[in-house]
Amino acid sequence: MITIYMKDYIKVDQWKIIEEGFDPGYNTIAESIFSLGNGRMGQRANFEEAYSGQTLSGNYVAGVYYPDKTRVGWWKNGYPEYFAKVINAANWIGIDILIGNEQLDLAKCEVSAFKRELNMKEGYLKRTFRAKTANDKEVEVEAIRFCSIADDETGAIGYTITPLNFSGTITMIPFINGDVVNKDSNYDEKFWDEVKKGIWEDGAWVQLRTKKTGFEVATGMRIAMEQNGQPIALKAQPVEKDKFVALKAEIDAVQGQPVVIYKYAANLSSQNYAAAELEDNLKATLLHISEKGFKTMLAEQAAAWAKKWQHNDIIIEGDASAQQGIRFNIFQLNQTYTGEDDRLNIGPKGFTGEKYGGSTYWDTEAYCVPFYLATADPKVTRNLLLYRYKQLDKAIDNAKLLGFKDGAALYPMVTMDGAECHNEWEITFEEIHRNGAIAYAIYNYVRYTGDEQYLADYGLEVLIAIARFWSQRVNWSDDKQQYVMLGVTGPNEYENNVNNNWYTSTIATWCLQYTIGVAEKVKTTEKGKYEALVNKIRFDKEKETAKFQDIIEKMYYPYDEKHQVFLQQDGYLDKEQILVKDLPASERPINQKWSWDRILRSCYIKQADVLQGLYFFEDQYDLDTIRRNYDFYEPRTVHESSLSPCVHAIIAARLGDQARAYEFYLRTSRLDLDDYNNDTEDGCHITSMAGTWMSVVEGFGGMRVRDGKLSFQPFLPAKWQSFSFHVGFRGALLNIKVSKDCVQIKNLSGNEVSVVVYGKDQLIKANNELLVEG
């Protein structure tokens, strides 16, 4: 059993995330949950009007980062010089409201009828409330905003305020504020310098440049207003300060008559435009969206989201909480990454907070790739792979810094541009299994799409560089007469600097074997490209693959004969074996209650480690082996990583343990909505959300790719009436619905497709369907 710590304040709705009533203590959590994004930019659910209570302001522009100073008291050769982070950019949502002389501030007002609503079906955030000021003036507010996926560098706000018990002056001050900070900045450093700014009759803009990295971002707005349903001329006073522009408009408000301000905004980056042309392009973009108008933009947003949901929705009948959870996860994934730009990747928190710096981790290759393979055009996943290919030179440089040579590559654990930027020893130098995840993603992409051309064009070069690293990272043990892997940290980060982590050694030898096979395949099918690559990287196939093969055959893997399990690492059983169920609840979660020293000496596992390997390579092990390891390690796993429950759900389903599979699914699907780990205020766990999708499709749906075909071994969770999902596969689009008595697979494409259901081959003709009794 897993222990769950949760907050239960989000109302259950199948298509919406709803918060009723304002609790300031939950505000930073809600700011994460109700975040918006469109792949190019993201915005936490901060209020438009001023708020002096607890808040984490966050507006992020994809690919724009700052190399913050690494703050440690000591140094070692090979340490990264900085920690790269996607930084808080100019605040584009702000609209200060004055009611008479009083600023509207929910921390200082009497607030009633507060409701925050994230409409996932149509892609917008709506907030309504009533507020009474110290002078007893009461107003009603409705604010709707979205980050457009139709015009993906833009956002829009419709802000309506209605005086309920008075007539008088209401002042609206829409602004762009570039004088922003990051909560986690070292030494309270600010990251932006002003380049220029400007104000025109109905708009304003600020152009900023990041220190050190020199990215430039132009953020601007255009404004339109209505009163009692009729357009009114904008008569505004300009306001300028350092990195700040605003328009100040005074309205003669009438009791009961709504006043609406429409704020059209855009973030344009020098990644996509010449810095000297940002101003002109920004004005053109703002003109384009403001001429459309708010209602048209909102309709386009709904249409764009409808198209997305058509291909990647998961429908659950009979469990509204589970339905809400899976849709929230899918919604956030689609807000975070669209696959349009191979320079961009997926941070563990996406655009929802500062933790992990918005940088790329191995999460992308291990957890996100399966989601995008099945729900998006193959080019989306291909771009994720190209992101790594284009950073291969820096991966080789990273390895050189640690003493590796001859083209060996160590991809960074944390990066924005390919350079390692994480300064914790046990992460930067020891958690080298990330190299294996990148190789596995290439394998996963090719087996799913059938795009073997990728191997000749890009993949083999990456695989050889990774294989060279593994061949140098192991060493021969005279004592064991085998190769060993010393001084590593596996996926379980509650163990550092261990010897012979089973998962790391297993994925290393798998990489070597896969590289040998791909090299032979490319040599046979693409001889010209193969020979060009051999010359480029000086690959001695005979000599190097012989070394790879020797390591494969003579690698040491720790194993315990008594329990007949793969040992997580040497000496694991020397630890005191107290199971998680015997830990007092008062000591959980241990990462918030125990010292690091105590954690490292315990047997407790943060996330799937041995089981991560059994998930990746399940076809290499019989069910009894998988079951023994699962039953041994799960009771010792505290699941204090968001990436842990999904792997356990999938393996439990594979073992036929439907109850535990569902238990772990619930944990991962509502991880952020119910704040299980007490850390949602830092941002949502975007990459684990892909694991939630995997729990349904690979867990309950039993989907695998075997011999170039999709295979399904589904079961229906006891609490559900049915569930269904879409997957795209090699030109076909399938809808799979699992009910109590049957499995229905619809082929929604013009291509026939062969699938395997419960071990039996089935052919589904174009635009036809298959029914299989469950």
Side-chain angles (χ1 to χ4, degrees), residues 406-467:
D406 299 328
L410 176 59
Y411 276 92
M413 184 64 182
V414 177
T415 193
M416 287 301 303
D417 65 353
E420 178 65 76
C421 60
H422 200 292
N423 68 305
E424 293 181 30
W425 175 275
E426 66 271 17
I427 302 297
T428 307
F429 304 119
E430 295 184 349
E431 206 161 332
I432 54 177
H433 63 81
R434 76 264 193 164
N435 248 14
I438 290 164
Y440 190 85
I442 295 172
Y443 161 75
N444 219 0
Y445 168 77
V446 173
R447 73 167 172 172
Y448 196 95
T449 64
D451 179 14
E452 295 194 353
Q453 187 63 43
Y454 183 84
L455 296 173
D457 292 344
Y458 307 105
L460 180 57
E461 185 174 355
V462 172
L463 292 171
I464 291 172
I466 288 173

Side-chain angles (χ1 to χ4, degrees), residues 171-207:
T171 305
M172 293 184 163
I173 311 172
F175 62 82
I176 303 292
N177 183 14
D179 191 21
V180 294
V181 297
N182 271 54
K183 178 183 177 182
D184 68 348
S185 63
N186 287 327
Y187 311 101
D188 299 321
E189 185 176 10
K190 292 185 178 181
F191 304 135
W192 296 97
D193 289 323
E194 181 181 308
V195 177
K196 53 185 175 179
K197 58 178 179 276
I199 296 179
W200 60 96
E201 184 178 359
D202 62 351
W205 61 282
V206 174
Q207 187 166 327

Side-chain angles (χ1 to χ4, degrees), residues 7 35 38 78 81 85 116 131 199 231 238 317 384 387 462 469 490 513 572 587 647 671:
K7 298 175 178 66
S35 293
N38 60 17
E81 296 180 359
K85 57 182 64 174
R116 192 162 12 194
I199 296 179
E317 295 182 315
L384 287 174
Y387 174 89
V462 172
F469 171 82
Q513 189 70 66
Y572 179 76
E587 297 188 26
V647 172
L671 180 77

Side-chain angles (χ1 to χ4, degrees), residues 744-763:
Q744 178 190 58
I745 303 180
K746 292 181 179 180
N747 184 354
L748 305 176
S749 69
N751 302 317
E752 69 178 21
V753 61
S754 294
V755 299
V756 179
V757 185
Y758 296 127
K760 185 177 179 180
D761 286 314
Q762 305 279 359
L763 178 66

